[in-house]
Amino acid sequence: MTVALKELKPMFNRLRLSAMYEHAESMFDDIQTCSMSHTDVLKELFKAEIARRDENALHRRIKQANIRHKDACMTDIDYTVDRGLNPSMINQLGACDWIRRHQNCIITGKTGCGKTWLAGALTNAACRAGFSAKFYRVPALLKELTANRQLPTEIQRSMRELRKVDLLVLDDWGLGQLDSINRSDLLEIIENRCGSGSTMITSVMPVKAWAEYIQDPTYSDSILDRLVLNAHRIEMKGVSMRSLPQYGAIERKK
């Protein structure tokens, strides 16, 4: 590394081009760099900086998404266990065109079949495709919104964030009971996102039972019309994955 490059380090740091400087160090120590044109050297340096920034942005999106299963990814989806999953459909969803079109996704099935994990894998794919995402358990979200109603600025901030995110994941839809405030909050969230963002829902409750969960004909019609009609549906089946030895179950001697 030449003295001239060392002297440039403060400038790189001031411009927040640390990855570019580190790559410059390695390039200038490589004798092959001498045969490269100035344009090619600059191109390689910019590529290194862009890659670093893209990686940092990805880490921020994944962290902000707060995915329940952070290690869930598309390549690890287990199709060997019969759960009614269509690989072609799942891969298509993993390409994220449905998010670009502001469509929804509904994943239903019995407890333990892997709904939340699959939602996590699809959310990770969305983050890697450049979309912002936020993962919530519905009971916790409604509790948080109810508490925030005591502070007008907080409830406004919460609703604004829920409206702006590209993909909103509502996990455990159907758990607990809704009161009038919960119904109003859910409708506002869904209404604000209709046509401008995508919502993914996981639920042990089949879609046909959602009206009973909402417990108000007017609200259920409004919510379901906005959620279900443009939603991709995944109806999972089979035994609980937690009952299988490869997913942590203790084998019992017969």
Side-chain angles (χ1 to χ4, degrees):
M1 184 178 67
T2 65
V3 174
L5 182 59
K6 288 182 179 179
E7 292 173 350
L8 291 175
K9 186 174 182 179
M11 298 182 185
F12 278 92
N13 291 340
R14 183 172 179 180
L15 294 172
R16 299 180 180 178
L17 299 173
S18 58
M20 183 182 288
Y21 180 79
E22 290 172 5
H23 196 62
E25 283 185 309
S26 63
M27 286 187 68
F28 286 18
D29 287 338
D30 187 347
I31 194 171
Q32 293 185 356
T33 303
C34 298
S35 62
M36 297 174 65
S37 68
H38 292 164
T39 302
D40 286 340
V41 170
L42 286 173
K43 182 179 179 181
E44 289 301 313
L45 293 177
F46 281 122
K47 283 170 61 177
E49 184 63 32
I50 290 171
R52 193 268 303 181
R53 295 190 181 195
D54 286 347
E55 186 70 16
N56 287 348
L58 172 60
H59 288 317
R60 284 195 301 271
R61 288 194 298 272
I62 292 177
K63 182 178 180 180
Q64 291 168 357
N66 196 31
I67 302 170
R68 192 165 167 186
H69 296 288
K70 299 184 186 301
D71 61 343
C73 63
M74 299 296 296
T75 55
D76 288 341
I77 296 175
D78 190 347
Y79 294 107
T80 63
V81 180
D82 185 10
R83 294 182 289 168
L85 295 178
N86 182 327
S88 177
M89 178 186 182
I90 300 301
N91 288 334
Q92 185 178 13
L93 291 173
C96 299
D97 282 342
W98 63 286
I99 301 177
R100 296 181 183 93
R101 296 170 183 168
H102 307 310
Q103 297 172 343
N104 301 324
C105 180
I106 296 172
I107 307 174
T108 56
K110 293 181 179 180
T111 299
C113 64
K115 302 180 298 299
T116 300
W117 195 97
L118 178 59
L122 291 171
T123 305
N124 256 320
C127 291
R128 294 181 182 282
F131 296 105
S132 61
K134 196 68 177 179
F135 207 101
Y136 287 99
R137 289 188 67 250
V138 173
L141 173 61
L142 294 178
K143 184 177 180 180
E144 177 184 319
L145 292 175
T146 299
N148 286 348
R149 287 211 168 273
Q150 308 301 318
L151 301 169
T153 56
E154 281 299 305
I155 191 65
Q156 292 172 9
R157 180 191 59 78
S158 296
M159 287 298 182
R160 184 168 58 251
E161 291 179 353
L162 291 168
R163 179 176 67 251
K164 289 172 59 177
V165 70
D166 295 321
L167 174 62
L168 175 64
V169 184
L170 299 177
D171 189 32
D172 286 337
W173 175 278
L175 287 186
Q177 293 184 332
L178 301 180
D179 58 25
S180 58
I181 295 177
N182 297 153
R183 283 190 288 270
S184 177
D185 285 342
L186 282 177
L187 178 57
E188 184 175 353
I189 292 168
I190 301 305
E191 169 65 25
N192 287 342
R193 297 183 54 74
C194 189
S196 63
S198 294
T199 303
M200 178 158 54
I201 290 179
T202 74
S203 179
V204 297
M205 186 179 290
V207 173
K208 63 183 180 181
W210 286 10
E212 182 180 349
Y213 165 62
I214 298 171
Q215 291 186 330
D216 183 291
T218 303
Y219 276 93
S220 63
D221 286 348
S222 298
I223 292 173
L224 297 182
D225 181 71
R226 290 162 175 77
L227 271 182
V228 178
L229 296 183
N230 71 337
H232 300 269
R233 304 270 292 274
I234 303 173
E235 298 178 2
M236 299 180 69
K237 62 179 184 179
V239 300
S240 170
M241 301 292 279
R242 301 185 190 96
S243 69
L244 304 176
Q246 62 267 40
Y247 291 100
I250 298 175
E251 293 190 75
R252 307 295 180 184
K253 294 181 179 180
K254 296 181 179 180

